[in-house]
Amino acid sequence: MTAGISEQRLRIAGIIPESIVDGPGIRLTVFVQGCPHRCPHCHNPETHNPEGGYFITLSEILEMIEENPILDGVTFSGGEPFMHAKTLTPLAREIKKRGYHLTIYSGYTYEQILKKAEIEPAFSELLSFADLLVDGPFLFEKRTLDARFKGSENQRLIDVPKTLASGNVVLAY
Ligand code: SF4
């Protein structure tokens, strides 16, 4: 067990131990289970059912990260990571403590995340640990195969630290 993190369980659809398409560098990507957005032609429909997937503990995920010396970062994808904001926040904190880059994908826009944070503070807590937010739903009519790290043109690659510091959305790329 990794010291300093709980045995709290997270419901996930799966983990890709080394990905080069979910953010800069080589990353471990966690696909959480459960998504309320139901984007038409979603590439991961098996992640929608909030009762599906399987459980893994936060310490098990952190051990997978720490065991791989070539990782640059970690990505939370899904599914909808902000559905698991309370559970993911302590994991995000430990990931950042260890110096990894953290990317979060969300079907919510940045503005919707801030609005939801007014009644669910875990939304803003989780967001505060992200380096990069890929925001908004997948829109089939705006799909692209050319854009870096995103599936449709409406999605933005947001530099979260600069955005939170300035109060205005700052794009990372
Ligand atoms: S937010 Fe992502 S996982 Fe959820 S339906 Fe849309 S594309 Fe699929």
Side-chain angles (χ1 to χ4, degrees), residues 30-44:
V30 180
F31 293 89
V32 300
Q33 182 70 29
C35 184
H37 302 295
R38 300 291 193 270
C39 306
H41 306 287
C42 167
H43 289 228
N44 300 320

Side-chain angles (χ1 to χ4, degrees), residues 93-106:
R93 184 180 293 112
E94 294 300 322
I95 286 167
K96 289 308 300 171
K97 261 191 210 167
R98 287 158 176 78
Y100 294 102
H101 181 280
L102 179 62
T103 294
I104 303 179
Y105 281 75
S106 178

Side-chain angles (χ1 to χ4, degrees), residues 1-40:
M1 179 178 124
T2 303
I5 192 162
S6 76
E7 287 304 288
Q8 196 168 356
R9 298 189 310 163
L10 174 69
R11 190 186 282 271
I12 65 169
I15 289 179
I16 294 181
E18 290 176 15
S19 166
I20 56 166
V21 296
D22 299 317
I26 302 173
R27 326 181 57 84
L28 178 140
T29 301
V30 180
F31 293 89
V32 300
Q33 182 70 29
C35 184
H37 302 295
R38 300 291 193 270
C39 306

Side-chain angles (χ1 to χ4, degrees), residues 104-133:
I104 303 179
Y105 281 75
S106 178
Y108 296 115
T109 63
Y110 173 75
E111 292 78 7
Q112 287 172 327
I113 291 169
L114 292 191
K115 188 76 189 158
K116 287 200 166 277
E118 292 174 9
I119 50 172
E120 180 48 76
F123 272 58
S124 52
E125 285 173 46
L126 177 58
L127 181 67
S128 73
F129 290 111
D131 296 288
L132 178 67
L133 173 72

